[in-house]
């Protein structure tokens, strides 16, 4: 179990290194606020940690505020802030209620006031005030998730159905200044796409939205169709934005972590975006080729893969990567592949991701579990649970995409 | 066009280095033949070159023989041999006729005689004598090709429907000795899978064949169903086998070729087997990450990817790899990705593969060609033709899988 211990050590160190606290503090130290009120709005999977870090710096200067995070991601009260937990990846009643509260709190601010807007991944679902019926939003979100649409395509659609996305929240706060600190979970960090860019000029167009609907042949209601035709704001002048954290830092942190325990690190990319299962096969092919290495190797890949939905099981993209790999590295000595989401939640599961090694496929055989059938049913969680290959970290407080690592120990 | 020149130079050098001639000569120099007749049977896409090389060594010792290769792959007469061209990847009337001729020529040999059996990729379709109706064979082959089944799965089925595959040709030649020289085009070179192993004990089982039919939910005729239940020979003692050439050598040859023109080579794998489009995305993600490199880099990947059939266009796996990459490396400076089949024919096209660089996506925009739609229609040939990204080598005389290369020039 040496390799599994290595994997867990690497994961813990890497995630610890990309916590938002320090970065939020740095951003705030540099900031000179106006003399009015400071209203803090924190949204996303890392919002509790970001708000908590901000509170430590601003202390009594922080006037009031709201934190909206995913269920299970709040770590308790923060003095002066109202904390909501809400639905993700599909927005629910709590998302809408919390967002209404935000809109009320930021409705009548003056030009001396500042909205401190702390944004992290997951914000698209958590921060939402639809301009079409709730059912329409849930319907289109479900369809987009199962179509294989990537996060950029999903957000292009969602920001048009919302009264806060695509820069609309910034307009709502005007004439107050908005100071946005973003913890990025989108590859390459295009600002208008992170959490659907509530305070950023939207670069996507109504034309692109229409193209996406056609591309995936999605059926939409008349209300949705109309909303998609309305163009988003293209001029915003009350916003300052700072981006902290990214998947690149997660890769660097993983690099440091593997070095500490004797692996030679090779970062291949920080922007992987292909299908999860196929990524698992590609990583396995790399593992097979390097079996004759004399030094221990760790191939590091950051990014966010996509699950192709072909079944109704339970799993996530990281779990699919490693389960697909399990078959492909069957029998290899001292070779393992693991993959985790830095937020600690991979798909709609309580696992951060998964771990497999040369023994995993054999273990699954003994349970009578077919890797092929399990992947076809998108049921990786089940198989990895049996093979003791689930990696469970709980909510980590950060959210900067995923990292996958091939370990070859010599 | 510097990068494209580099690509073509690398392809030419790498393919030249894996020609079968030298290797066939070496194998024959070491061989001590019995005193009887030597009947040469050469089958596969490289069979003309292999037979021609053998003829140069054996000269008058070669008694008679037959060459069966793909249409367009014969390079003329070889003294004393009958040359057939036939259907690939779907066997046709010429495949059956040529194979019947082989079975007649090898029917009444003595234990002093030798069948020199020169085998290369493509043999599964070219060397075929069905034990079920011809239509059934064509039907199941077409279904397997479009199901996404890999070559190992396809051969497990096909060898059971044939009177020459899965070791059955070796039994037919008995008591003559069979000396088999194999030019491998299957990852990892399992002997019983190359050209469906006519002279090799079959490791696949009737149970596995049944599993494949179920896995892809294929409808088969009663005759096929019965044939799949018959087990293949598990004991053969009149065969000696030598394997020459492999995709690993193609990777090494590419490594040498890129070095010669100033790139630092990194071989990632010699056994890539994921979906072509996703491989293109993975390779692109690697290209994006290494943009800041100070030395010129070449990432080399060998193997054989799989096309997911979603349309009815014209293309091949290498063309799909690069077309998917075109979108993903859009705008990158001095960055290119190319991919070729070493046999010179990628899918049912006259191209060996394709080349794209940072400009390709923009060129396709100008033609109004959507990369997404083109891939969905499996029509990569069309787009690459417009963008001048087809690589056309003609039949190369060898067949050792594919190689894909990411070039970053500095």
């Amino acid at each position: 179990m040496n390799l599994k211990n290595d994997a867990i050590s690497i994961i813990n160190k890497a995630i610890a290194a990309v916590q938002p606290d320090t970065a939020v503090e740095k951003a705030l130290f540099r900031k000179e606020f106006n003399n009015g009120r400071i209203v803090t709005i924190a949204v996303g999977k890392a919002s509790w940690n970001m708000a908590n870090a901000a509170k430590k710096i601003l202390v009594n200067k922080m006037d009031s505020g709201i934190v909206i995070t995913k269920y299970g991601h709040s770590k308790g009260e923060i003095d002066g802030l109202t904390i909501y937990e809400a639905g993700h990846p599909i927005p629910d009643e709590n998302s809408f209620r919390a967002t209404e509260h935000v809109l009320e709190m930021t409705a009548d601010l003056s030009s001396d006031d500042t909205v401190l807007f702390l944004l992290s991944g997951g914000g698209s679902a958590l921060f939402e005030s639809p301009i079409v019926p709730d059912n329409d939003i849930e319907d289109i979100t479900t369809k987009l998730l199962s179509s294989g649409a990537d996060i950029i395509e999903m957000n292009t659609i969602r920001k048009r159905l919302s009264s806060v996305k695509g820069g609309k929240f910034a307009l709502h706060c005007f004439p107050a200044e908005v100071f946005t600190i973003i913890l990025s979970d989108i590859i390459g960090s295009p600002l208008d796409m992170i959490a659907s860019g509530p305070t950023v000029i939207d670069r996507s167009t109504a034309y692109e939205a229409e193209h996406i609907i056609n591309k995936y042949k999605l059926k939409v209601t008349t209300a949705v169709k109309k909303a998609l035709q309305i163009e988003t704001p293209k001029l915003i002048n009350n916003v300052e934005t700072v981006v902290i954290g990214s998947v690149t830092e997660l890769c660097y942190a993983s690099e440091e972590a593997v070095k500490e325990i004797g692996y030679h690190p090779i970062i291949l990319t920080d922007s992987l975006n292909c299908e999860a299962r196929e990524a698992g096969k590609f990583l396995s092919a790399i593992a097979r080729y390097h079996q004759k290495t004399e030094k221990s190797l760790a191939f590091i890949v950051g990014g966010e893969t996509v699950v192709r939905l072909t079944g109704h099981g339970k799993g996530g993209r990281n779990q699919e990567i490693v389960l697909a790999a399990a078959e492909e590295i069957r029998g290899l000595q001292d070779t393992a592949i693991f993959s985790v989401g830095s937020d600690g939640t991979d798909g709609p599961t309580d696992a951060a991701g998964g771990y497999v090694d040369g023994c995993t496929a054999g273990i699954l055989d003994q349970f009578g579990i077919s890797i092929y059938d399990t992947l076809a049913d998108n049921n990786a969680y089940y198989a990895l649970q049996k093979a003791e290959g689930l990696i469970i970290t709980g909510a980590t407080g950060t959210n900067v995409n995923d990292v996958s690592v091939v370990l070859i120990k010599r």
Side-chain angles (χ1 to χ4, degrees), chain A:
Chain A
M1 295 305 288
N2 249 341
L3 275 182
K4 188 157 186 196
N5 289 341
D6 287 357
I8 288 168
S9 148
I10 295 162
I11 292 163
N12 289 339
K13 281 179 192 159
I15 289 178
V18 293
Q19 288 299 320
D21 308 52
T22 322
V24 167
E25 287 166 18
K26 272 188 201 163
L28 287 176
F29 272 126
R30 282 197 297 263
K31 171 67 184 168
E32 291 185 17
F33 286 93
N34 294 336
N35 295 323
R37 300 166 56 201
I38 300 178
V39 177
T40 301
I41 307 297
V43 171
K45 290 193 208 168
S47 60
W48 191 94
N49 280 40
M50 292 179 81
N52 195 50
K55 179 69 187 179
K56 282 183 190 158
I57 306 300
L58 299 176
V59 198
N60 291 330
K61 286 205 273 180
M62 194 183 277
D63 187 80
S64 60
I66 292 169
V67 174
I68 315 178
T69 193
K70 184 176 171 175
Y71 292 112
H73 285 235
S74 166
K75 297 180 183 168
E77 295 295 310
I78 302 173
D79 192 32
L81 301 185
T82 307
I83 295 177
Y84 288 90
E85 292 189 336
H88 180 274
I90 297 178
D92 65 2
E93 200 45 56
N94 282 346
S95 314
F96 305 143
R97 191 180 307 129
T99 306
E100 277 315 305
H101 192 177
V102 169
L103 292 176
E104 286 162 22
M105 191 179 281
T106 52
D108 296 308
L109 301 178
S110 81
S111 59
D112 283 342
D113 299 331
T114 306
V115 175
L116 173 60
F117 191 50
L118 306 172
L119 198 57
S120 54
S124 285
L126 299 169
F127 192 51
E128 181 57 295
S129 171
I131 58 172
V132 298
D134 295 2
N135 287 344
D136 288 15
I137 296 269
E138 287 194 21
D139 173 65
I140 185 96
T141 306
T142 308
K143 282 178 182 163
L144 283 166
L145 278 171
S146 42
S147 70
D150 64 29
I151 191 165
I152 290 178
E153 291 171 330
M154 298 204 16
N155 289 348
T156 297
I157 299 299
R158 290 195 288 194
K159 63 176 56 168
R160 287 185 160 67
L161 310 178
S162 164
S163 58
V164 294
K165 294 174 174 168
K168 296 175 203 166
F169 179 58
L171 287 188
H172 170 82
C173 295
F174 189 86
E177 191 199 350
V178 180
F179 181 55
T180 305
I181 302 178
I182 294 179
L183 181 73
S184 168
D185 74 331
I186 297 195
I187 295 165
S189 303
L191 293 188
D192 61 337
M193 285 300 179
I194 296 161
S196 304
T199 65
V200 186
I201 289 173
D202 177 29
R203 290 186 302 176
S204 81
T205 63
Y207 172 81
E208 288 167 2
E210 189 193 349
H211 178 72
I212 293 161
I213 296 298
N214 294 337
K215 172 173 164 182
Y216 295 113
K217 300 182 180 60
L218 304 180
K219 282 188 186 168
V220 298
T221 62
T222 315
V224 168
K225 202 169 182 180
K226 273 187 188 165
L228 292 181
Q229 289 165 353
I230 302 167
E231 198 49 277
T232 43
K234 302 299 179 211
L235 177 68
I236 295 174
N237 55 18
N238 60 327
V239 176
E240 182 184 347
T241 303
V242 175
V243 180
I244 62 173
S246 74
V247 65
T248 312
E249 288 178 26
L250 180 63
C251 290
Y252 293 157
S254 303
E255 183 180 39
E256 286 308 309
V258 304
K259 266 194 223 168
E260 278 178 35
I261 53 175
Y263 292 88
H264 175 74
I266 303 117
I267 300 181
L268 291 176
T269 185
D270 61 359
S271 66
L272 190 67
N273 59 352
C274 69
E275 284 186 6
R277 290 175 225 180
E278 307 303 318
K281 284 188 161 189
F282 202 123
L283 292 171
S284 304
I286 293 172
R288 287 193 297 266
Y289 182 73
H290 290 87
Q291 287 300 303
K292 289 179 185 158
T293 180
E294 287 177 3
K295 57 183 172 184
S296 296
L297 297 177
F299 292 91
I300 298 165
V301 167
E304 182 171 327
T305 59
V306 178
V307 167
R308 175 153 42 119
L309 227 61
T310 48
H312 301 90
K314 187 175 172 184
R317 53 187 185 261
N318 292 287
Q319 293 162 61
E320 290 218 351
I321 287 172
V322 300
L323 185 58
E327 181 64 49
E328 303 278 331
I329 61 169
R330 179 191 283 271
L332 296 189
Q333 296 286 317
D334 296 318
T335 301
I337 297 183
F338 66 86
S339 189
V340 291
S342 57
D343 60 354
T345 57
D346 184 36
T349 76
D350 62 2
Y355 164 95
V356 298
D357 57 31
C359 302
T360 305
I363 293 170
L364 292 173
D365 286 349
Q366 288 175 7
F367 282 110
I369 295 173
S370 152
I371 291 176
Y372 181 89
D373 293 346
T374 308
L375 284 171
D377 196 29
N378 295 115
N379 204 17
Y381 185 93
Y382 167 75
L384 291 172
Q385 194 171 36
K386 288 284 185 187
E388 298 184 8
L390 290 176
I391 290 175
I392 297 184
T393 59
T396 61
T398 192
N399 185 5
V400 289
N401 282 134
D402 307 336
V403 66
S404 311
V405 179
V406 177
L407 294 179
I408 306 172
K409 194 156 191 169
R410 294 296 177 259

